[in-house]
């Protein structure tokens, strides 16, 4: 059997697997990579394939220090599989590929394709070229070739979707390598964004998350400082769109018109993820973050005044170079004042190529670990206290898929409240599908989830649930996803949903 015959032996079609690391931007890019491969005739490998696919794609992140080790460890794990499987191909893309380029093939010569953040649309062509020429193909574009939403997309969810409104970032945070890898901010035209949202709603999607590296800076590239608040309000006019979220905003660009739009747009959810990074003014200055503690807490105060039940989450970095105990205490002070529903906490990770990596006074690992543990303990206490305030409330949940790992054993289902809190609820006798909406009363709170242990008060079957059912039935017949490209007249488009960022916003 030739290598081509061997690789196409599963139903005559080559299979693929995409492994994703990093932020929501990478998750959405992976949907595009899946869409590109399926558009080229590949079929998604079964769940748990663990490298037993004809093509394995790594969509990488470069924000954390262990990203390199994680990638090369996984590539090493696949090397013997590839050696025993003629025709198998391995591709590496994303931020780490943009950064390391030729290094990847030198360290892992069994890799077939390396592509960057700006040319993900080239993946099928590069795979075919590598197969025909029998040598690795490394192609890294220095600037965006086409806005990614023009690409076919395999959405992971039938009821919730990402919608990219911009790519790249104009900030120069000293700890962050993302702008160097994703480039300067480039905004989409509002009409293209709204056309995509309308197409998604027509497909059955009822929740969208507007996505950008610095989402509320939207408009800087098109010359409209209020473009983001206008976009939120326009989403409120789309019939059938029940929930609108966005991530991640930057405090520098968080203006009052955005807060007003959040409060006045009925389907804008009472939730805000706004990275803090540090509560210390000197550390914020060293990070080159263009706000200070007072400005940050002022935004929180305004949001809570306009939207009393808003759940606010954040990202925090511990152990930035030069951080003193007094500086760290200021971060704890902000955490106590802001009372975040959740905080995604990170130990500072030195990234070559960033100014912070060259700074003096790098903090010893033991000191960073001790501070990190104190921060986590404080935030756990606050998260639990804030969740306890939800007990007794009646909430509408959008039923989720795959969010409750113990749902099968506990005979529960899981869903997201309007403020994005995760709620596990008693499974009703009536059929409930992901995308449907249930009304429950909260009976118990834990730091990271809520329980509704009583009977479900109401079940509302939705078009989103219909879309999930239709897709699930179709995928049982054949493993194909929903492929969408940039909406043209009368033609639909892409996207799905997740939690926090990578600590670089």
């Amino acid at each position: 059997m030739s290598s081509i015959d061997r690789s196409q032996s599963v139903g005559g079609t080559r299979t693929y697997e995409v492994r994703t690391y990093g932020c929501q931007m990478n998750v959405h890019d992976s949907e595009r990579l899946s869409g590109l491969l399926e558009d080229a005739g590949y079929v998604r490998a079964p769940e748990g394939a663990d490298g037993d696919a004809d093509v394995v794609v790594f969509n990488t992140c470069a924000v954390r220090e262990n990203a390199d080790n994680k990638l090369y460890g996984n590539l090493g794990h696949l090397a013997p599989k590839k050696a025993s499987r003629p025709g198998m191909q391995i591709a590496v893309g994303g931020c780490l590929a943009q950064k390391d380029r030729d290094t990847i093939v030198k360290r892992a010569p069994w890799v077939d394709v390396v592509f960057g953040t700006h040319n993900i649309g080239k993946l099928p062509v590069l795979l075919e070229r590598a197969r025909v020429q029998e040598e690795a193909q490394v192609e890294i574009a220095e600037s965006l070739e086409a806005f990614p939403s023009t690409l076919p997309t395999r959405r992971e969810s039938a009821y919730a979707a990402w919608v990219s409104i911009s790519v790249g970032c104009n900030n120069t945070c000293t700890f962050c390598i993302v702008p160097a890898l994703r480039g300067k901010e480039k905004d989409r035209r509002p009409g293209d964004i709204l056309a995509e949202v309308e197409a998604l709603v027509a497909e059955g999607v009822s929740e969208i998350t507007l996505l950008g590296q610095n989402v509320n800076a939207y408009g800087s590239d098109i010359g409209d400082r209020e473009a983001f608040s206008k976009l939120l309000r326009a989403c409120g006019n789309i019939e059938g769109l029940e929930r609108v979220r966005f991530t991640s905003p930057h405090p520098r660009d968080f203006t009052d018109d955005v807060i007003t739009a959040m409060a006045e747009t009925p389907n804008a959810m009472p939730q805000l993820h706004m990275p803090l990074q540090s509560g210390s003014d000197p550390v914020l200055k060293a990070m080159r973050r263009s706000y200070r503690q007072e400005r940050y807490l002022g935004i929180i105060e305004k949001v809570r005044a306009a939207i009393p039940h808003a759940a606010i989450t954040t990202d925090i970095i511990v152990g930035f170079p030069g951080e003193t105990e007094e500086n760290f205490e200021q971060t704890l002070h902000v955490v106590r004042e802001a009372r975040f529903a959740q905080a995604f906490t990170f130990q500072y990770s030195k990234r070559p190529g960033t100014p912070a990596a060259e700074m003096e006074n790098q903090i010893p690992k033991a000191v960073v670990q001790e501070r990190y543990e104190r921060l986590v303990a404080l935030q756990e206490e606050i998260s639990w206290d804030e969740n306890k305030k939800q007990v007794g409330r009646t909430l509408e949940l959008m039923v989720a898929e795959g969010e409750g790992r113990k749902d099968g054993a506990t005979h529960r289902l899981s869903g997201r409240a309007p403020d994005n809190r995760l709620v596990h609820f008693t499974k009703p006798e009536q059929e409930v599908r992901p995308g449907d909406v249930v009304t429950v009363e909260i009976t118990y709170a834990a730091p990271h989830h809520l329980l509704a242990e009583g009977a479900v008060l109401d079940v509302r079957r939705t078009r989103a649930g219909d879309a999930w059912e239709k897709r699930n039935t179709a995928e049982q017949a054949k493993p194909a996803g929903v492929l969408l490209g940039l909406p043209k007249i009368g033609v639909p488009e892409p996207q799905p949903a997740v939690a926090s960022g990578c600590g670089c916003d």
Side-chain angles (χ1 to χ4, degrees), residues 169-171 185 213-218 220 225 228-229 248-259 274 290-291 295 299:
C169 180
N170 292 337
N171 293 317
E185 180 177 325
Q213 213 74 52
N214 181 6
V215 71
N216 61 324
Y218 176 75
S220 62
R225 293 179 60 85
F228 185 64
S229 61
S248 290
H250 192 293
R252 182 195 69 183
D253 303 298
F254 211 98
T255 50
D256 290 349
D257 61 296
V258 173
I259 297 173
M274 187 167 65
S290 48
Y291 57 89
R295 159 77 172 153
I299 295 170

PDB file of all heavy atoms in Angstrom, residues 169-171 185 213-218 220 225 228-229 248-259 274 290-291 295 299:
ATOM      1  N   CYS A 169      -3.015  44.388  17.912  1.00  0.00           N
ATOM      2  CA  CYS A 169      -3.073  45.240  19.102  1.00  0.00           C
ATOM      3  C   CYS A 169      -2.074  46.384  18.955  1.00  0.00           C
ATOM      4  O   CYS A 169      -0.931  46.176  18.521  1.00  0.00           O
ATOM      5  CB  CYS A 169      -2.735  44.406  20.343  1.00  0.00           C
ATOM      6  SG  CYS A 169      -2.775  45.317  21.896  1.00  0.00           S
ATOM      7  N   ASN A 170      -2.497  47.597  19.334  1.00  0.00           N
ATOM      8  CA  ASN A 170      -1.633  48.777  19.247  1.00  0.00           C
ATOM      9  C   ASN A 170      -0.920  49.094  20.556  1.00  0.00           C
ATOM     10  O   ASN A 170      -0.170  50.061  20.635  1.00  0.00           O
ATOM     11  CB  ASN A 170      -2.447  50.002  18.808  1.00  0.00           C
ATOM     12  CG  ASN A 170      -2.936  49.875  17.380  1.00  0.00           C
ATOM     13  OD1 ASN A 170      -2.366  49.131  16.580  1.00  0.00           O
ATOM     14  ND2 ASN A 170      -3.999  50.591  17.045  1.00  0.00           N
ATOM     15  N   ASN A 171      -1.179  48.307  21.597  1.00  0.00           N
ATOM     16  CA  ASN A 171      -0.539  48.562  22.883  1.00  0.00           C
ATOM     17  C   ASN A 171       0.898  48.054  22.875  1.00  0.00           C
ATOM     18  O   ASN A 171       1.281  47.220  22.042  1.00  0.00           O
ATOM     19  CB  ASN A 171      -1.332  47.897  24.012  1.00  0.00           C
ATOM     20  CG  ASN A 171      -2.687  48.545  24.193  1.00  0.00           C
ATOM     21  OD1 ASN A 171      -2.798  49.764  24.158  1.00  0.00           O
ATOM     22  ND2 ASN A 171      -3.724  47.741  24.372  1.00  0.00           N
ATOM     23  N   GLU A 185      -3.375  46.752  15.276  1.00  0.00           N
ATOM     24  CA  GLU A 185      -4.821  46.530  15.217  1.00  0.00           C
ATOM     25  C   GLU A 185      -5.367  46.836  13.830  1.00  0.00           C
ATOM     26  O   GLU A 185      -5.034  47.843  13.210  1.00  0.00           O
ATOM     27  CB  GLU A 185      -5.536  47.405  16.249  1.00  0.00           C
ATOM     28  CG  GLU A 185      -7.046  47.215  16.235  1.00  0.00           C
ATOM     29  CD  GLU A 185      -7.748  48.031  17.298  1.00  0.00           C
ATOM     30  OE1 GLU A 185      -7.173  48.192  18.392  1.00  0.00           O
ATOM     31  OE2 GLU A 185      -8.856  48.508  17.029  1.00  0.00           O
ATOM     32  N   GLN A 213      -8.284  41.501  20.325  1.00  0.00           N
ATOM     33  CA  GLN A 213      -7.161  41.517  21.252  1.00  0.00           C
ATOM     34  C   GLN A 213      -7.342  42.655  22.259  1.00  0.00           C
ATOM     35  O   GLN A 213      -6.993  42.542  23.417  1.00  0.00           O
ATOM     36  CB  GLN A 213      -5.853  41.704  20.484  1.00  0.00           C
ATOM     37  CG  GLN A 213      -4.677  41.004  21.103  1.00  0.00           C
ATOM     38  CD  GLN A 213      -4.708  39.494  20.898  1.00  0.00           C
ATOM     39  OE1 GLN A 213      -4.858  39.045  19.783  1.00  0.00           O
ATOM     40  NE2 GLN A 213      -4.581  38.731  21.957  1.00  0.00           N
ATOM     41  N   ASN A 214      -7.911  43.751  21.807  1.00  0.00           N
ATOM     42  CA  ASN A 214      -8.285  44.894  22.654  1.00  0.00           C
ATOM     43  C   ASN A 214      -9.630  45.370  22.127  1.00  0.00           C
ATOM     44  O   ASN A 214      -9.714  46.333  21.368  1.00  0.00           O
ATOM     45  CB  ASN A 214      -7.223  45.982  22.577  1.00  0.00           C
ATOM     46  CG  ASN A 214      -7.558  47.179  23.446  1.00  0.00           C
ATOM     47  OD1 ASN A 214      -8.522  47.165  24.206  1.00  0.00           O
ATOM     48  ND2 ASN A 214      -6.784  48.232  23.315  1.00  0.00           N
ATOM     49  N   VAL A 215     -10.681  44.684  22.539  1.00  0.00           N
ATOM     50  CA  VAL A 215     -11.960  44.764  21.840  1.00  0.00           C
ATOM     51  C   VAL A 215     -12.583  46.155  21.863  1.00  0.00           C
ATOM     52  O   VAL A 215     -13.190  46.602  20.889  1.00  0.00           O
ATOM     53  CB  VAL A 215     -12.924  43.690  22.390  1.00  0.00           C
ATOM     54  CG1 VAL A 215     -13.389  44.022  23.791  1.00  0.00           C
ATOM     55  CG2 VAL A 215     -14.104  43.460  21.472  1.00  0.00           C
ATOM     56  N   ASN A 216     -12.425  46.885  22.975  1.00  0.00           N
ATOM     57  CA  ASN A 216     -13.087  48.185  23.051  1.00  0.00           C
ATOM     58  C   ASN A 216     -12.259  49.322  22.451  1.00  0.00           C
ATOM     59  O   ASN A 216     -12.688  50.468  22.459  1.00  0.00           O
ATOM     60  CB  ASN A 216     -13.492  48.525  24.491  1.00  0.00           C
ATOM     61  CG  ASN A 216     -12.304  48.598  25.428  1.00  0.00           C
ATOM     62  OD1 ASN A 216     -11.351  47.829  25.294  1.00  0.00           O
ATOM     63  ND2 ASN A 216     -12.344  49.495  26.383  1.00  0.00           N
ATOM     64  N   ALA A 217     -11.081  48.976  21.895  1.00  0.00           N
ATOM     65  CA  ALA A 217     -10.349  49.961  21.093  1.00  0.00           C
ATOM     66  C   ALA A 217     -10.879  49.979  19.667  1.00  0.00           C
ATOM     67  O   ALA A 217     -10.398  50.751  18.832  1.00  0.00           O
ATOM     68  CB  ALA A 217      -8.859  49.643  21.080  1.00  0.00           C
ATOM     69  N   TYR A 218     -11.872  49.109  19.411  1.00  0.00           N
ATOM     70  CA  TYR A 218     -12.454  49.045  18.074  1.00  0.00           C
ATOM     71  C   TYR A 218     -12.885  50.443  17.624  1.00  0.00           C
ATOM     72  O   TYR A 218     -13.525  51.177  18.376  1.00  0.00           O
ATOM     73  CB  TYR A 218     -13.667  48.103  18.070  1.00  0.00           C
ATOM     74  CG  TYR A 218     -14.380  48.056  16.739  1.00  0.00           C
ATOM     75  CD1 TYR A 218     -13.830  47.372  15.669  1.00  0.00           C
ATOM     76  CD2 TYR A 218     -15.588  48.717  16.557  1.00  0.00           C
ATOM     77  CE1 TYR A 218     -14.464  47.347  14.443  1.00  0.00           C
ATOM     78  CE2 TYR A 218     -16.234  48.690  15.334  1.00  0.00           C
ATOM     79  CZ  TYR A 218     -15.664  48.001  14.280  1.00  0.00           C
ATOM     80  OH  TYR A 218     -16.300  47.983  13.063  1.00  0.00           O
ATOM     81  N   SER A 220     -10.491  52.618  16.355  1.00  0.00           N
ATOM     82  CA  SER A 220      -9.269  53.409  16.176  1.00  0.00           C
ATOM     83  C   SER A 220      -8.734  53.294  14.756  1.00  0.00           C
ATOM     84  O   SER A 220      -8.142  54.239  14.222  1.00  0.00           O
ATOM     85  CB  SER A 220      -8.199  52.960  17.173  1.00  0.00           C
ATOM     86  OG  SER A 220      -7.841  51.600  16.965  1.00  0.00           O
ATOM     87  N   ARG A 225     -14.259  56.994  17.516  1.00  0.00           N
ATOM     88  CA  ARG A 225     -13.981  56.674  18.917  1.00  0.00           C
ATOM     89  C   ARG A 225     -15.162  56.010  19.618  1.00  0.00           C
ATOM     90  O   ARG A 225     -14.991  55.396  20.662  1.00  0.00           O
ATOM     91  CB  ARG A 225     -13.585  57.946  19.673  1.00  0.00           C
ATOM     92  CG  ARG A 225     -12.242  58.524  19.223  1.00  0.00           C
ATOM     93  CD  ARG A 225     -11.914  59.810  19.989  1.00  0.00           C
ATOM     94  NE  ARG A 225     -11.835  59.578  21.429  1.00  0.00           N
ATOM     95  CZ  ARG A 225     -10.754  59.154  22.058  1.00  0.00           C
ATOM     96  NH1 ARG A 225      -9.658  58.893  21.371  1.00  0.00           N
ATOM     97  NH2 ARG A 225     -10.749  59.002  23.365  1.00  0.00           N
ATOM     98  N   PHE A 228     -17.314  51.199  19.100  1.00  0.00           N
ATOM     99  CA  PHE A 228     -17.634  49.976  19.837  1.00  0.00           C
ATOM    100  C   PHE A 228     -19.000  50.075  20.507  1.00  0.00           C
ATOM    101  O   PHE A 228     -19.804  49.128  20.454  1.00  0.00           O
ATOM    102  CB  PHE A 228     -16.554  49.667  20.871  1.00  0.00           C
ATOM    103  CG  PHE A 228     -16.783  48.351  21.568  1.00  0.00           C
ATOM    104  CD1 PHE A 228     -16.753  47.167  20.862  1.00  0.00           C
ATOM    105  CD2 PHE A 228     -17.054  48.306  22.925  1.00  0.00           C
ATOM    106  CE1 PHE A 228     -16.985  45.946  21.487  1.00  0.00           C
ATOM    107  CE2 PHE A 228     -17.277  47.094  23.561  1.00  0.00           C
ATOM    108  CZ  PHE A 228     -17.243  45.920  22.839  1.00  0.00           C
ATOM    109  N   SER A 229     -19.304  51.205  21.140  1.00  0.00           N
ATOM    110  CA  SER A 229     -20.620  51.346  21.772  1.00  0.00           C
ATOM    111  C   SER A 229     -21.722  51.317  20.718  1.00  0.00           C
ATOM    112  O   SER A 229     -22.806  50.750  20.950  1.00  0.00           O
ATOM    113  CB  SER A 229     -20.687  52.635  22.589  1.00  0.00           C
ATOM    114  OG  SER A 229     -20.491  53.779  21.782  1.00  0.00           O
ATOM    115  N   SER A 248     -11.454  40.873  24.990  1.00  0.00           N
ATOM    116  CA  SER A 248     -11.265  41.473  26.293  1.00  0.00           C
ATOM    117  C   SER A 248     -11.041  42.974  26.105  1.00  0.00           C
ATOM    118  O   SER A 248     -10.265  43.359  25.232  1.00  0.00           O
ATOM    119  CB  SER A 248     -10.030  40.911  26.981  1.00  0.00           C
ATOM    120  OG  SER A 248     -10.171  39.579  27.393  1.00  0.00           O
ATOM    121  N   PRO A 249     -11.654  43.801  26.933  1.00  0.00           N
ATOM    122  CA  PRO A 249     -11.439  45.241  26.836  1.00  0.00           C
ATOM    123  C   PRO A 249     -10.187  45.679  27.594  1.00  0.00           C
ATOM    124  O   PRO A 249      -9.677  44.953  28.441  1.00  0.00           O
ATOM    125  CB  PRO A 249     -12.693  45.818  27.489  1.00  0.00           C
ATOM    126  CG  PRO A 249     -13.053  44.792  28.517  1.00  0.00           C
ATOM    127  CD  PRO A 249     -12.672  43.453  27.923  1.00  0.00           C
ATOM    128  N   HIS A 250      -9.704  46.860  27.285  1.00  0.00           N
ATOM    129  CA  HIS A 250      -8.556  47.452  27.978  1.00  0.00           C
ATOM    130  C   HIS A 250      -9.065  48.657  28.769  1.00  0.00           C
ATOM    131  O   HIS A 250      -9.821  49.469  28.238  1.00  0.00           O
ATOM    132  CB  HIS A 250      -7.514  47.900  26.947  1.00  0.00           C
ATOM    133  CG  HIS A 250      -6.185  48.265  27.532  1.00  0.00           C
ATOM    134  ND1 HIS A 250      -6.005  49.368  28.350  1.00  0.00           N
ATOM    135  CD2 HIS A 250      -4.962  47.692  27.398  1.00  0.00           C
ATOM    136  CE1 HIS A 250      -4.731  49.446  28.702  1.00  0.00           C
ATOM    137  NE2 HIS A 250      -4.077  48.447  28.140  1.00  0.00           N
ATOM    138  N   PRO A 251      -8.681  48.795  30.042  1.00  0.00           N
ATOM    139  CA  PRO A 251      -9.161  49.932  30.835  1.00  0.00           C
ATOM    140  C   PRO A 251      -8.883  51.289  30.195  1.00  0.00           C
ATOM    141  O   PRO A 251      -9.665  52.226  30.357  1.00  0.00           O
ATOM    142  CB  PRO A 251      -8.402  49.775  32.160  1.00  0.00           C
ATOM    143  CG  PRO A 251      -8.109  48.309  32.260  1.00  0.00           C
ATOM    144  CD  PRO A 251      -7.847  47.866  30.842  1.00  0.00           C
ATOM    145  N   ARG A 252      -7.779  51.403  29.463  1.00  0.00           N
ATOM    146  CA  ARG A 252      -7.450  52.677  28.824  1.00  0.00           C
ATOM    147  C   ARG A 252      -8.563  53.152  27.897  1.00  0.00           C
ATOM    148  O   ARG A 252      -8.855  54.339  27.804  1.00  0.00           O
ATOM    149  CB  ARG A 252      -6.157  52.530  28.006  1.00  0.00           C
ATOM    150  CG  ARG A 252      -5.695  53.815  27.333  1.00  0.00           C
ATOM    151  CD  ARG A 252      -4.662  53.544  26.269  1.00  0.00           C
ATOM    152  NE  ARG A 252      -5.239  52.849  25.124  1.00  0.00           N
ATOM    153  CZ  ARG A 252      -4.546  52.440  24.064  1.00  0.00           C
ATOM    154  NH1 ARG A 252      -3.246  52.628  24.035  1.00  0.00           N
ATOM    155  NH2 ARG A 252      -5.141  51.822  23.075  1.00  0.00           N
ATOM    156  N   ASP A 253      -9.201  52.222  27.202  1.00  0.00           N
ATOM    157  CA  ASP A 253     -10.188  52.555  26.178  1.00  0.00           C
ATOM    158  C   ASP A 253     -11.623  52.377  26.663  1.00  0.00           C
ATOM    159  O   ASP A 253     -12.553  52.436  25.857  1.00  0.00           O
ATOM    160  CB  ASP A 253      -9.959  51.674  24.939  1.00  0.00           C
ATOM    161  CG  ASP A 253      -8.554  51.834  24.391  1.00  0.00           C
ATOM    162  OD1 ASP A 253      -8.226  52.963  23.993  1.00  0.00           O
ATOM    163  OD2 ASP A 253      -7.800  50.844  24.372  1.00  0.00           O
ATOM    164  N   PHE A 254     -11.785  52.136  27.982  1.00  0.00           N
ATOM    165  CA  PHE A 254     -13.135  51.862  28.486  1.00  0.00           C
ATOM    166  C   PHE A 254     -13.833  53.182  28.801  1.00  0.00           C
ATOM    167  O   PHE A 254     -13.667  53.761  29.863  1.00  0.00           O
ATOM    168  CB  PHE A 254     -13.081  50.970  29.726  1.00  0.00           C
ATOM    169  CG  PHE A 254     -14.278  50.080  29.838  1.00  0.00           C
ATOM    170  CD1 PHE A 254     -14.224  48.776  29.413  1.00  0.00           C
ATOM    171  CD2 PHE A 254     -15.474  50.572  30.340  1.00  0.00           C
ATOM    172  CE1 PHE A 254     -15.347  47.953  29.498  1.00  0.00           C
ATOM    173  CE2 PHE A 254     -16.589  49.761  30.421  1.00  0.00           C
ATOM    174  CZ  PHE A 254     -16.524  48.444  29.997  1.00  0.00           C
ATOM    175  N   THR A 255     -14.630  53.642  27.862  1.00  0.00           N
ATOM    176  CA  THR A 255     -15.258  54.960  27.954  1.00  0.00           C
ATOM    177  C   THR A 255     -16.695  54.870  28.455  1.00  0.00           C
ATOM    178  O   THR A 255     -17.319  53.810  28.416  1.00  0.00           O
ATOM    179  CB  THR A 255     -15.220  55.645  26.579  1.00  0.00           C
ATOM    180  OG1 THR A 255     -15.713  54.737  25.588  1.00  0.00           O
ATOM    181  CG2 THR A 255     -13.793  56.036  26.210  1.00  0.00           C
ATOM    182  N   ASP A 256     -17.216  56.002  28.908  1.00  0.00           N
ATOM    183  CA  ASP A 256     -18.557  56.032  29.495  1.00  0.00           C
ATOM    184  C   ASP A 256     -19.632  55.618  28.501  1.00  0.00           C
ATOM    185  O   ASP A 256     -20.663  55.043  28.890  1.00  0.00           O
ATOM    186  CB  ASP A 256     -18.865  57.432  30.034  1.00  0.00           C
ATOM    187  CG  ASP A 256     -18.039  57.784  31.270  1.00  0.00           C
ATOM    188  OD1 ASP A 256     -17.390  56.870  31.816  1.00  0.00           O
ATOM    189  OD2 ASP A 256     -18.047  58.960  31.679  1.00  0.00           O
ATOM    190  N   ASP A 257     -19.435  55.916  27.204  1.00  0.00           N
ATOM    191  CA  ASP A 257     -20.455  55.549  26.221  1.00  0.00           C
ATOM    192  C   ASP A 257     -20.602  54.032  26.113  1.00  0.00           C
ATOM    193  O   ASP A 257     -21.692  53.532  25.822  1.00  0.00           O
ATOM    194  CB  ASP A 257     -20.139  56.154  24.845  1.00  0.00           C
ATOM    195  CG  ASP A 257     -18.814  55.674  24.294  1.00  0.00           C
ATOM    196  OD1 ASP A 257     -17.777  55.973  24.909  1.00  0.00           O
ATOM    197  OD2 ASP A 257     -18.813  55.002  23.241  1.00  0.00           O
ATOM    198  N   VAL A 258     -19.515  53.292  26.389  1.00  0.00           N
ATOM    199  CA  VAL A 258     -19.601  51.829  26.374  1.00  0.00           C
ATOM    200  C   VAL A 258     -20.425  51.343  27.562  1.00  0.00           C
ATOM    201  O   VAL A 258     -21.275  50.452  27.427  1.00  0.00           O
ATOM    202  CB  VAL A 258     -18.193  51.203  26.391  1.00  0.00           C
ATOM    203  CG1 VAL A 258     -18.279  49.678  26.547  1.00  0.00           C
ATOM    204  CG2 VAL A 258     -17.430  51.563  25.116  1.00  0.00           C
ATOM    205  N   ILE A 259     -20.193  51.934  28.737  1.00  0.00           N
ATOM    206  CA  ILE A 259     -20.966  51.545  29.924  1.00  0.00           C
ATOM    207  C   ILE A 259     -22.453  51.822  29.699  1.00  0.00           C
ATOM    208  O   ILE A 259     -23.311  50.991  30.011  1.00  0.00           O
ATOM    209  CB  ILE A 259     -20.455  52.298  31.164  1.00  0.00           C
ATOM    210  CG1 ILE A 259     -19.002  51.920  31.446  1.00  0.00           C
ATOM    211  CG2 ILE A 259     -21.330  51.999  32.390  1.00  0.00           C
ATOM    212  CD1 ILE A 259     -18.338  52.726  32.546  1.00  0.00           C
ATOM    213  N   MET A 274     -12.338  42.466  32.468  1.00  0.00           N
ATOM    214  CA  MET A 274     -11.435  43.585  32.229  1.00  0.00           C
ATOM    215  C   MET A 274     -10.107  43.342  32.961  1.00  0.00           C
ATOM    216  O   MET A 274     -10.036  43.409  34.185  1.00  0.00           O
ATOM    217  CB  MET A 274     -12.062  44.906  32.692  1.00  0.00           C
ATOM    218  CG  MET A 274     -11.238  46.117  32.303  1.00  0.00           C
ATOM    219  SD  MET A 274     -12.136  47.674  32.507  1.00  0.00           S
ATOM    220  CE  MET A 274     -12.349  47.705  34.296  1.00  0.00           C
ATOM    221  N   SER A 290      -1.502  51.949  30.409  1.00  0.00           N
ATOM    222  CA  SER A 290      -1.827  53.385  30.401  1.00  0.00           C
ATOM    223  C   SER A 290      -3.033  53.722  31.271  1.00  0.00           C
ATOM    224  O   SER A 290      -3.934  54.437  30.849  1.00  0.00           O
ATOM    225  CB  SER A 290      -2.053  53.847  28.965  1.00  0.00           C
ATOM    226  OG  SER A 290      -2.932  52.953  28.312  1.00  0.00           O
ATOM    227  N   TYR A 291      -3.080  53.196  32.480  1.00  0.00           N
ATOM    228  CA  TYR A 291      -4.088  53.555  33.482  1.00  0.00           C
ATOM    229  C   TYR A 291      -3.457  53.302  34.835  1.00  0.00           C
ATOM    230  O   TYR A 291      -2.389  52.687  34.930  1.00  0.00           O
ATOM    231  CB  TYR A 291      -5.366  52.714  33.318  1.00  0.00           C
ATOM    232  CG  TYR A 291      -5.117  51.225  33.404  1.00  0.00           C
ATOM    233  CD1 TYR A 291      -5.154  50.555  34.616  1.00  0.00           C
ATOM    234  CD2 TYR A 291      -4.801  50.495  32.262  1.00  0.00           C
ATOM    235  CE1 TYR A 291      -4.890  49.199  34.703  1.00  0.00           C
ATOM    236  CE2 TYR A 291      -4.517  49.137  32.339  1.00  0.00           C
ATOM    237  CZ  TYR A 291      -4.565  48.496  33.557  1.00  0.00           C
ATOM    238  OH  TYR A 291      -4.279  47.158  33.640  1.00  0.00           O
ATOM    239  N   ARG A 295      -8.092  54.976  38.232  1.00  0.00           N
ATOM    240  CA  ARG A 295      -8.847  54.887  36.978  1.00  0.00           C
ATOM    241  C   ARG A 295      -9.564  53.543  36.868  1.00  0.00           C
ATOM    242  O   ARG A 295     -10.745  53.484  36.534  1.00  0.00           O
ATOM    243  CB  ARG A 295      -7.888  55.088  35.797  1.00  0.00           C
ATOM    244  CG  ARG A 295      -8.360  54.562  34.451  1.00  0.00           C
ATOM    245  CD  ARG A 295      -9.382  55.446  33.811  1.00  0.00           C
ATOM    246  NE  ARG A 295      -9.655  55.004  32.446  1.00  0.00           N
ATOM    247  CZ  ARG A 295     -10.788  55.208  31.809  1.00  0.00           C
ATOM    248  NH1 ARG A 295     -11.763  55.878  32.382  1.00  0.00           N
ATOM    249  NH2 ARG A 295     -10.957  54.781  30.583  1.00  0.00           N
ATOM    250  N   ILE A 299     -13.744  52.802  36.883  1.00  0.00           N
ATOM    251  CA  ILE A 299     -14.535  52.107  35.869  1.00  0.00           C
ATOM    252  C   ILE A 299     -15.442  51.069  36.521  1.00  0.00           C
ATOM    253  O   ILE A 299     -16.629  50.969  36.206  1.00  0.00           O
ATOM    254  CB  ILE A 299     -13.615  51.433  34.831  1.00  0.00           C
ATOM    255  CG1 ILE A 299     -12.845  52.482  34.044  1.00  0.00           C
ATOM    256  CG2 ILE A 299     -14.423  50.554  33.875  1.00  0.00           C
ATOM    257  CD1 ILE A 299     -11.744  51.907  33.162  1.00  0.00           C
TER     258      ILE A 299
END
